Amino acid sequence: MEFKKAFFILIVFAVISCDTEKFKTADGIELEVSSLIGMDVFDIAYEYSRVSPETLTGTNNRRWVVYFSDINVTLETNKLNNIVQNAKKGKNPKESTWAN
């Protein structure tokens, strides 16, 4: 019975310690990074940030990898429609210009 209690406590601790990635907008509002996926990158630039985006390594003719320093978020967008495909907290360039 003690083993079950210890196991349960361990699981609860693991679930509590799993924190979602969050960022603060330029206005101080805290949002989940994953909420940016599916948004237009220019809407994010105008609504959440106050700096010009920095183009990162990994950008090519299909993808734009961009970093917003004031909100500390890297976005990977589809150049055809400007929709965010991937979002990560921090500065996360792709490994090379022609990275997959």
Side-chain angles (χ1 to χ4, degrees):
M1 190 65 166
E2 289 299 316
F3 177 73
K4 287 183 180 180
K5 286 181 184 178
F7 184 69
F8 178 74
I9 291 171
L10 181 63
I11 289 176
V12 170
F13 179 73
V15 169
I16 291 171
S17 66
C18 292
D19 190 22
T20 59
E21 284 190 322
K22 295 188 178 194
F23 73 99
K24 281 193 179 183
T25 67
D27 294 331
I29 300 168
E30 189 171 75
L31 298 172
E32 289 189 26
V33 174
S34 62
S35 69
L36 301 174
I37 296 172
M39 291 183 69
D40 186 297
V41 69
F42 295 107
D43 288 343
I44 295 166
Y46 298 130
E47 293 177 27
Y48 300 144
S49 178
R50 289 209 170 69
V51 299
S52 296
E54 175 186 349
T55 300
L56 299 179
T57 302
T59 297
N60 59 30
N61 61 345
R62 294 173 286 146
R63 170 184 51 234
W64 185 31
V65 181
V66 61
Y67 175 69
F68 291 92
S69 61
D70 62 341
I71 61 174
N72 193 29
V73 172
T74 298
L75 305 174
E76 184 178 326
T77 68
N78 180 332
K79 279 189 172 180
L80 292 176
N81 57 17
N82 299 319
I83 299 298
V84 175
Q85 304 294 311
N86 195 6
K88 299 265 186 193
K89 187 167 182 166
K91 190 172 185 178
N92 298 296
K94 292 289 184 180
E95 294 174 5
S96 72
T97 304
W98 306 110
N100 291 328

